[in-house]
Amino acid sequence: MAKDKIRVTDLARMKADHAPIAMLTAYDFPFARIFDRAGVDILLVGDSLGMVVQGAESTLPVTMTEVLYHLKLVARAREHALLVGDLPFMSYQVSLEQALRNAGRLIKEGGAEAVKLEGGVVMADTIRRLVEVDIPVMGHIGLTPQSIHRMGGHRVQGRRAGSGPGCRERLLEDAQAVEQAGAFALVLEGIPAELATEITERAAIPTIGIGAGPNCDGQVLVMHDVLGLTDGFRPRFAKPYANLWREATAAATSYIREVRERAFPADEHSFHVKGA
Ligand code: KIV
């Protein structure tokens, strides 16, 4: 079902055509191949890997080495989708030079075609500089998981009026700043649907929502939430389309039972000496 290769330049056309953009995270070859062949438009190797792959409590400990490792696995599987690599916490905030070096590594070593970074007005200069050297940037504002300590946890942003951090007017300014700095798309995470609609209507670049209601130009979800590969908490905005946790548990339980009962391996799973 995968069609022609998706490029950064296709996304603007998709917004103009009101063609919704489907984006998923992926962290390894098999799932990236499945999603790519299913026709997803954008694959993101997100720093969410810290939580869903590594079992950490936040995305903050994730390193460049780890993102690069997963990016390379996904890049091998990608044929159709645009591949975006996430810049982890403190890999771009220190200086423009640091941001350039690390964004460049995601493209040059990891095989990404674009990078994503969190932050609005404060990141505008960084986005501008990356775009100047032809590194396409996807912005990310609202509930930015790298800001959990400021936000006091993973909390919906933009519910309150005002121009302080996390307030409605600040988010409108952030969206405008990211667009004016040259980003090609903008992730809106954890904000009221009404605010996401307003940002989407004002923006010339596509918005990709996660917990931001139905009116964004596209949607993104973490693959573990889509596939039901989680044991505990599932965010309200995440719809499971399968229950792979249950399936995998059933498969492992059957395997263990069959080994213990000597029902596996059967003759068809065994090799024999020829002619014996
Ligand atoms: O890290 C990630 O997976 C993300 C998406 C949830 C947008 O940033």
Side-chain angles (χ1 to χ4, degrees), residues 23 25 27 44 46-48 86 116 140 187 189 210 220 222:
M23 168 165 154
T25 67
Y27 315 94
L44 169 68
D47 63 356
S48 50
D86 220 358
K116 179 170 81 58
H140 183 166
V187 170
E189 177 164 357
I210 171 163
V220 55
V222 169

Side-chain angles (χ1 to χ4, degrees), residues 225 228 230 232-240:
D225 292 330
T230 54
F233 171 77
R234 178 165 48 79
R236 173 190 155 96
F237 57 79
K239 178 175 173 185

Side-chain angles (χ1 to χ4, degrees), residues 77-226:
R78 167 269 329 259
E79 292 168 337
H80 155 77
L82 178 78
L83 178 54
V84 180
D86 220 358
L87 282 163
F89 182 55
M90 281 299 130
S91 71
Y92 59 98
Q93 292 93 338
V94 176
S95 66
L96 289 183
E97 185 183 329
Q98 185 212 28
L100 277 169
R101 281 194 196 291
N102 285 325
R105 289 189 72 195
L106 296 188
I107 307 277
K108 196 176 163 94
E109 295 172 41
E113 294 155 292
V115 302
K116 179 170 81 58
L117 57 80
E118 297 183 8
V121 173
V122 293
M123 280 300 141
D125 286 343
T126 306
I127 296 172
R128 197 168 294 111
R129 189 69 194 110
L130 294 176
V131 172
E132 271 170 7
V133 297
D134 293 337
I135 296 179
V137 178
M138 175 179 275
H140 183 166
I141 63 167
L143 192 175
T144 43
Q146 293 177 13
S147 319
I148 42 163
H149 294 314
R150 172 181 57 76
M151 295 183 303
H154 293 96
R155 295 178 191 282
V156 172
Q157 304 291 294
R159 278 189 162 139
R160 278 179 299 123
S163 55
C167 293
R168 198 179 161 281
E169 280 69 28
R170 172 70 70 92
L171 287 171
L172 288 166
E173 282 170 29
D174 282 338
Q176 196 179 17
V178 168
E179 176 177 345
Q180 284 176 353
F184 71 90
L186 175 60
V187 170
L188 301 176
E189 177 164 357
I191 65 173
E194 298 75 12
L195 177 56
T197 303
E198 189 172 341
I199 292 175
T200 301
E201 283 169 355
R202 288 187 187 191
I205 57 173
T207 60
I208 318 273
I210 171 163
N215 295 328
C216 297
D217 298 304
Q219 297 291 329
V220 55
L221 281 177
V222 169
M223 59 158 271
H224 292 67
D225 292 330
V226 170

